């Protein structure tokens, strides 16, 4: 690389990453490597069968199950899971699924110190981050602590084959959002920026192929690779306005996590357009688009994803309340949030109008 690099700080996160088709077969060995014997398998109800598939690879007398993981990690669900942990003398957690399962696993680890083995089935990226988001009384809050970083991540591409096309697309846009915000983060550095651009490019290329051929191992492998890179960015540097908005909308209106990211990321890119031009150029290059915001919006449209908050179930009357919540404890962002601009952006996102840069 020519020229002189500016000073930067890069903190690598300690995690064991195992990637490859069929690697779920190694879960028992990983439990043993952690010196554990009494795992709790955590899934959502819809993915309980995947949990049973993993359980068959373990000692049936020692394994416990909790199949009620729920979106946005509500505190009452965590309390019930902790009761199982205590009652069954659990010594590690195995999470199979996406953000719901992994979020609950992290919530357990935060309060017990138990090690985690995670087998992702989506592209959300939570498995490689020291970040946990939890919902209490209708508000979602996040914190960053190494206490919730999983010790082992097993990326078995075969586990993603059952992910429906629409969820694959939304989850992929969610992952891209992590990389977009990493590029203009206050603590951005050359390493995460390389990962971010590569992650966006891998997902932008693979997601349309998954729509055309959902059973394609190659397309799924490329998407999982991109999601790992984007998730690593999320775990390494701070996120900005986009993530604050999505946490508010998810917590206050119970909107689905990944589709909310898919709707909002193009609008937030447009909001930041004039405050982070070099980042926008890298995003556009990764997307092979003229502009970052149009490229993100067109990708969502081409993947046949909802492009409006209205379609996700948010009431138009909630926009002012959302702005009020977004303005509380704001995240670092290239352009400072202000009430009129946020209101205008959210109204465009609610209608599904194309994103528009604002001076």
């Amino acid at each position: 690389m020519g020229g002189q690099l500016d000073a930067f700080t890069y903190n690598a996160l300690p995690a064991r990453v195992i990637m490859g088709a069929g690697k779920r077969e190694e879960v028992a060995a990983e439990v043993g490597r952690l010196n554990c014997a009494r795992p709790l398998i955590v899934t959502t109800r819809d993915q309980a069968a995947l949990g049973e598939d993993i359980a068959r690879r373990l000692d049936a007398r020692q394994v416990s199950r909790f199949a009620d993981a729920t979106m946005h990690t509500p505190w009452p669900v965590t309390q019930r899971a902790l009761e199982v942990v205590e009652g069954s003398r659990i010594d590690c957690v195995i999470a199979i699924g996406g953000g719901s399962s992994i979020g609950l696993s992290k919530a357990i680890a935060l309060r017990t110190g138990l090690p985690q083995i995670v087998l992702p089935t989506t592209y959300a990226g939570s498995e490689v981050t020291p970040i946990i988001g939890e919902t209490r009384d209708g508000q979602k809050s996040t914190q960053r602590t190494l206490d919730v970083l999983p010790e082992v991540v097993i990326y078995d591409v075969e586990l993603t084959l059952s992910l429906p096309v629409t969820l694959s697309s939304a989850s992929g846009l969610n992952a891209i959002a992590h990389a977009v915000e990493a590029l203009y983060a206050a603590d951005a550095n050359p390493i995460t920026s390389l990962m971010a651009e590569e992650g966006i490019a891998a997902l932008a290329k693979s997601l349309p192929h998954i729509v055309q051929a959902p059973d394609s191992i190659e397309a799924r492998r490329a998407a999982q690779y991109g999601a790992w890179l984007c998730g690593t960015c999320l775990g390494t540097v701070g996120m900005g306005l986009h993530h604050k908005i999505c946490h508010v909308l998810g917590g206050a209106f119970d909107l689905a996590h990944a589709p909310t990211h898919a709707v909002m990321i193009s609008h937030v890119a447009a909001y930041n357009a004039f405050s982070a031009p070099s980042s926008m150029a890298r995003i556009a290059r990764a997307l092979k688009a003229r502009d970052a915001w149009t490229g993100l919006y067109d990708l969502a449209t081409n993947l046949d994803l909802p492009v409006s908050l209205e379609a996700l179930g948010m009431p138009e009357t909630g926009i002012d309340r959302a702005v009020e919540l977004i303005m509380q404890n704001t995240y670092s962002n290239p352009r400072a949030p202000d009430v009129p601009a946020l209101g205008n952006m959210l109204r465009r996102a609610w209608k599904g109008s194309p994103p528009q840069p604002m001076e």
Side-chain angles (χ1 to χ4, degrees):
M1 177 182 287
Q4 186 173 358
L5 287 172
D6 291 334
F8 68 90
T9 299
Y10 170 67
N11 290 313
L13 296 176
R16 176 174 167 86
V17 175
I18 301 168
M19 183 173 283
K23 288 294 184 178
R24 63 189 179 281
E25 298 289 346
E26 299 183 15
V27 67
E30 293 302 314
V31 170
R33 197 183 63 84
L34 292 172
N35 295 316
C36 296
R38 301 182 64 86
L40 173 66
I41 295 178
V42 170
T43 68
T44 62
R45 292 181 185 179
D46 289 343
Q47 293 181 308
L50 284 179
E52 290 302 320
D53 180 60
I54 297 299
R56 283 193 288 272
R57 292 165 169 78
L58 301 164
D59 185 342
R61 299 166 298 176
Q62 304 284 1
V63 65
S64 299
R65 303 159 182 80
F66 186 90
D68 282 333
T70 305
M71 186 172 63
H72 304 307
T73 320
W75 174 239
V77 174
T78 300
Q79 286 180 303
R80 289 195 286 114
L82 289 169
E83 290 172 2
V84 177
V85 168
E86 183 176 356
S88 300
R89 295 183 289 116
I90 298 301
D91 59 10
C92 69
V93 184
I94 301 172
I96 305 104
S100 297
S101 298
I102 298 168
L104 177 56
S105 179
K106 287 181 170 183
I108 294 169
L110 179 65
R111 292 165 178 90
T112 64
L114 294 179
Q116 305 170 76
I117 299 171
V118 176
L119 296 92
T121 62
T122 73
Y123 309 130
S126 177
E127 65 278 356
V128 286
T129 77
I131 302 166
I132 180 171
E134 299 181 280
T135 302
R136 294 200 198 196
D137 302 321
Q139 290 200 33
K140 188 171 184 178
S141 60
T142 63
Q143 61 175 304
R144 183 181 287 258
T145 169
L146 286 174
D147 292 341
V148 303
L149 181 69
E151 281 71 14
V152 181
V153 181
I154 300 176
Y155 286 110
D156 186 335
V157 67
E158 292 173 358
L159 292 177
T160 67
L161 291 173
S162 62
L163 188 65
V165 166
T166 299
L167 290 180
S168 299
S169 298
S171 186
L173 262 292
N174 180 16
I176 285 174
H178 306 330
V180 167
E181 294 231 291
L183 283 166
Y184 53 64
D187 53 351
N189 62 76
I191 309 305
T192 51
S193 294
L194 284 170
M195 293 181 186
E197 189 170 347
E198 172 76 358
I200 293 170
L203 282 159
K205 183 177 180 180
S206 60
L207 292 175
H209 288 298
I210 289 173
V211 171
Q212 296 167 2
D215 294 332
S216 169
I217 286 286
E218 286 305 313
R220 294 281 187 178
R221 182 182 287 119
Q224 195 171 55
Y225 164 72
W228 172 41
L229 294 175
C230 293
T232 301
C233 293
L234 171 66
T236 307
V237 298
M239 294 290 105
L241 176 64
H242 169 80
H243 280 74
K244 173 67 176 185
I245 290 173
C246 291
H247 291 153
V248 164
L249 297 179
F253 305 103
D254 200 32
L255 303 190
H257 181 76
T260 303
H261 279 270
V263 168
M264 289 306 310
I265 188 56
S266 63
H267 293 278
V268 179
Y271 185 94
N272 287 324
F274 298 114
S275 300
S278 61
S279 298
M280 295 302 147
R282 294 187 74 159
I283 296 163
R285 182 169 63 196
L287 294 169
K288 296 184 178 179
R290 184 190 65 188
D291 301 306
W293 50 96
T294 55
L296 291 165
Y297 184 83
D298 290 346
L299 179 59
T301 302
N302 292 338
L303 295 173
D304 202 25
L305 288 170
V307 292
S308 73
L309 294 175
E310 180 185 21
L312 302 185
M314 180 182 171
E316 187 174 13
T317 54
I319 290 176
D320 289 342
R321 173 61 176 158
V323 171
E324 179 184 340
L325 291 171
I326 292 164
M327 292 299 295
Q328 297 174 8
N329 304 313
T330 55
Y331 294 8
S332 172
N333 193 68
R335 176 183 175 180
D338 67 84
V339 170
L342 286 176
N344 289 337
M345 177 179 62
L346 283 175
R347 276 185 279 275
R348 294 189 70 85
W350 186 84
K351 295 176 184 176
S353 303
Q356 184 175 25
M358 294 176 283
E359 293 284 3

